[in-house]
Amino acid sequence: MKNIILASASPRRRELLEKLRIPFEIRVSDVKEIITKTVPAEIVEELSLQKALAVAETEPDALVIGADTMVASDETVLGKPKDKEDAAAMLKSLQGKSHQVYTGVTLTWMGEKEREIRTFSEASQVFLYPMTEEEIQRYVDTGEPMDKAGGYAIQGLFAVYVKGIAGDYNNIVGLPVARLYQELKKNGIVILPANE
């Protein structure tokens, strides 16, 4: 099996990939992200590709996994909040409604003749309960929203506001591991979880 590298600094992605119980390393891409797309699924695919290829340049023999996650609501794309005010505004726009979470994933490895690249995205829908101004502010004050797309962590304190989801929960956290596994298998890369 090839060396596997996760091109992400996200502790949530690391934890999700660890669930597969396969050995991997982390190499954070320092690529300047450039967005040329406008459709959320295409944006996350574009960003995941940039991250994966930047790391693959320095790790040509490894299987590199790049990923990017964002939230979309009412045709508005929400990345990570800039500050507490931005986080509160995001949550105010999302509360009491449904929105979509998109994760783009790029897999790249050296094939027999050339570099192979596979990019895909997964979408999940999240339904939220209404939130009061006080609830929003108390959540923002915890600091949890600050490095999360859409300003919340579904796996954290924000769970009490989640009415339901449609789609892959892990995708919302940051990495659709089931789809990742299926895409690897489809491309002849079999990664079997190790025994404890």
Side-chain angles (χ1 to χ4, degrees), residues 6-19 24 26 28 80 147-148 155 173-175:
L6 177 62
S8 174
S10 166
R12 291 157 298 283
R13 288 195 187 104
R14 184 191 72 235
E15 289 166 8
L16 288 169
L17 198 55
E18 284 172 349
K19 287 183 178 184
F24 68 93
I26 293 175
V28 180
K80 296 176 183 177
D147 65 339
K148 316 292 189 304
Q155 76 281 9
V173 177
L175 189 66

Side-chain angles (χ1 to χ4, degrees), residues 1-188:
M1 182 170 67
K2 298 176 181 297
N3 284 348
I4 298 172
I5 295 176
L6 177 62
S8 174
S10 166
R12 291 157 298 283
R13 288 195 187 104
R14 184 191 72 235
E15 289 166 8
L16 288 169
L17 198 55
E18 284 172 349
K19 287 183 178 184
L20 296 180
R21 295 197 313 215
I22 55 171
F24 68 93
E25 299 170 39
I26 293 175
R27 298 275 188 280
V28 180
S29 161
D30 58 358
V31 68
K32 184 177 187 315
E33 297 178 0
I34 299 169
I35 299 173
T36 65
K37 309 291 186 184
T38 56
V39 176
E42 294 175 1
I43 294 171
V44 292
E45 287 179 9
E46 181 175 45
L47 294 175
S48 75
L49 177 64
Q50 291 171 19
K51 293 175 183 179
L53 292 181
V55 171
E57 284 181 12
T58 60
E59 302 285 347
D61 296 326
L63 164 64
V64 179
I65 303 168
D68 192 82
T69 301
M70 69 176 37
V71 169
S73 174
D74 298 329
E75 307 298 318
T76 301
V77 172
L78 304 175
K80 296 176 183 177
K82 298 185 290 288
D83 52 34
K84 284 187 170 188
E85 291 73 26
D86 193 29
M90 286 183 183
L91 293 169
K92 190 172 182 179
S93 75
L94 296 174
Q95 63 86 27
K97 301 189 301 189
S98 70
H99 62 272
Q100 295 72 44
V101 178
Y102 295 88
T103 298
V105 179
T106 294
L107 310 170
T108 182
W109 67 96
M110 191 56 73
E112 290 182 20
K113 298 180 182 175
E114 60 187 7
R115 177 156 292 283
E116 301 282 346
I117 301 170
R118 301 292 181 272
T119 300
F120 63 90
S121 59
E122 190 76 17
S124 302
Q125 192 158 15
V126 181
F127 303 85
L128 300 181
Y129 285 108
M131 299 172 70
T132 65
E133 295 275 351
E134 182 184 6
E135 287 172 324
I136 290 171
Q137 197 54 55
R138 284 175 64 93
Y139 178 64
V140 169
D141 287 343
T142 68
E144 188 176 85
M146 298 320 298
D147 65 339
K148 316 292 189 304
Y152 72 88
I154 195 170
Q155 76 281 9
L157 300 169
F158 195 75
V160 297
Y161 303 113
V162 178
K163 191 173 186 178
I165 68 167
D168 183 354
Y169 171 82
N170 291 325
N171 181 60
I172 301 164
V173 177
L175 189 66
V177 288
R179 175 82 184 272
L180 170 65
Y181 180 81
Q182 296 302 319
E183 293 289 335
L184 287 169
K185 193 165 74 166
K186 189 164 66 176
N187 286 284

